[in-house]
Amino acid sequence: MTQPAMFLAHGSPTLAIEDNAYTRFLKQLAQQLPRRPRAVAVFSAHYDSPVQAVSDDEVHETIHDFYGFPEEMYTISYPAPGDRELSRQIGDLFRANNLPFELSAGRGLDHGAWVLLRAMFPQADMPIVELSVDSRRTPAEQYAIGKMLTGLRQDNVLVIGSGGLVHNLRLLEAEASAPSNWAVEFDNWIGDQLKTWNLRMLFDYKQRAPHVRDAVPFYAKEHFAPLLYAMGAADDERTASKPFQDYQYGSISLNCWMFGGAGNGPID
């Protein structure tokens, strides 16, 4: 059975120690897959590079790439194995599509990757290859890079994009009891394009989406990019569903979008 590709919001790093609806969803998510993946390839918003990078490690170190959080956050270790065979397989796909890339050893997993994967695969026994994104590329280019990995899904590899559709730390409301209307309107507009696989509108989201400057500020556009990479990896099926949606601090969107694979109905 073919694995889906998926976009997962990683929210605040404190998701690693929180018990809420989203963390409970993540802990059940792996059981909802068609079968256990042989490996995960994850595009992380916190690995933004002009040259496409592909991790190449036997065992990943855990990067604590945040500050000002509870001390226990800095003691978490997630020593998941790498998959050098998959790293080279991905490199071959990039090479075949004339995409310059580099195999990168020793960097470790950033929190965009390990916070989510630790919830999904808590035993740290799932082989992982982390991939960079390039926030300077156009949406069409980001989608095209994801599309290069479409065949991996038939090879039982789970492709994940980790980021945040609405991610503006300057507009957080610590005491918010409900999501901000502008954040919901942006999410809903993006959702309409995903459900109909409207690439023309989606690739032009910076000009067309409501509240886009608040939802995707210039200093955090790398958080939106993983959506396009994950979506491109399901270009062969072009189906989309959203099994989870919630918000933190009024506007930080916590959602999961699944593309292709089992459980997604046809696009209308």
Side-chain angles (χ1 to χ4, degrees), residues 1 5-6 11 19 28-29 69 80 84 86 91 94 104-105 114 122 142 147 190 199 205 226-227 232 249 267:
M1 296 178 68
M6 63 176 68
D19 177 24
Q28 295 298 315
L29 183 56
F69 287 90
R84 285 183 156 169
L86 178 58
F94 288 156
S104 176
W114 68 258
Q142 293 163 350
K147 185 177 177 179
I190 294 296
L199 298 181
Y205 80 94
L227 173 73
Y249 311 117
I267 296 297

Side-chain angles (χ1 to χ4, degrees), residues 27-99:
K27 289 175 181 178
Q28 295 298 315
L29 183 56
Q31 280 66 55
Q32 308 306 314
L33 297 172
R35 54 177 168 156
R36 180 178 169 85
R38 74 172 178 91
V40 174
V42 54
F43 289 96
S44 174
H46 290 277
Y47 198 176
D48 193 2
S49 170
V51 177
Q52 180 64 58
V54 182
S55 71
D56 186 33
D57 290 302
E58 291 283 352
V59 179
H60 293 287
E61 295 183 5
T62 306
I63 306 175
H64 302 95
D65 51 338
F66 42 77
Y67 61 92
F69 287 90
E71 186 60 32
E72 64 182 300
M73 293 288 299
Y74 302 93
T75 66
I76 295 174
S77 177
Y78 187 68
D83 187 331
R84 285 183 156 169
E85 179 182 349
L86 178 58
S87 296
R88 281 153 180 76
Q89 185 179 357
I90 291 172
D92 289 342
L93 292 171
F94 288 156
R95 187 179 296 109
N97 286 277
N98 298 312
L99 177 69

Side-chain angles (χ1 to χ4, degrees), residues 15 18-32 119-120 244 246:
L15 285 175
E18 292 173 352
D19 177 24
N20 56 41
Y22 189 49
T23 60
R24 291 191 291 273
F25 167 79
L26 291 172
K27 289 175 181 178
Q28 295 298 315
L29 183 56
Q31 280 66 55
Q32 308 306 314
M120 294 174 65
F244 189 90
D246 203 352

Side-chain angles (χ1 to χ4, degrees), residues 142-151 228-229 231-235 238:
Q142 293 163 350
Y143 182 97
I145 293 173
K147 185 177 177 179
M148 296 174 192
L149 305 188
T150 300
L228 282 306
Y229 287 88
M231 192 181 182
D235 181 78
R238 297 195 169 196

Side-chain angles (χ1 to χ4, degrees), residues 214-241:
D214 289 333
V216 189
F218 71 92
Y219 62 86
K221 59 185 180 179
E222 73 281 353
H223 276 76
F224 189 88
L227 173 73
L228 282 306
Y229 287 88
M231 192 181 182
D235 181 78
D236 59 332
E237 293 188 68
R238 297 195 169 196
T239 59
S241 65

Side-chain angles (χ1 to χ4, degrees), residues 132-191:
S132 65
V133 300
D134 185 355
S135 63
R136 291 155 291 272
R137 288 185 179 271
T138 67
E141 290 173 327
Q142 293 163 350
Y143 182 97
I145 293 173
K147 185 177 177 179
M148 296 174 192
L149 305 188
T150 300
L152 293 181
R153 295 175 32 249
Q154 285 80 33
D155 196 22
N156 198 25
V157 175
L158 178 63
V159 179
I160 295 176
S162 169
L165 299 191
V166 183
H167 192 89
N168 190 335
L169 301 184
R170 298 177 186 176
L171 296 179
L172 300 186
E173 300 176 53
E175 304 302 322
S177 59
S180 302
N181 289 337
W182 63 266
V184 174
E185 289 176 14
F186 177 83
D187 257 334
N188 287 345
W189 187 92
I190 294 296

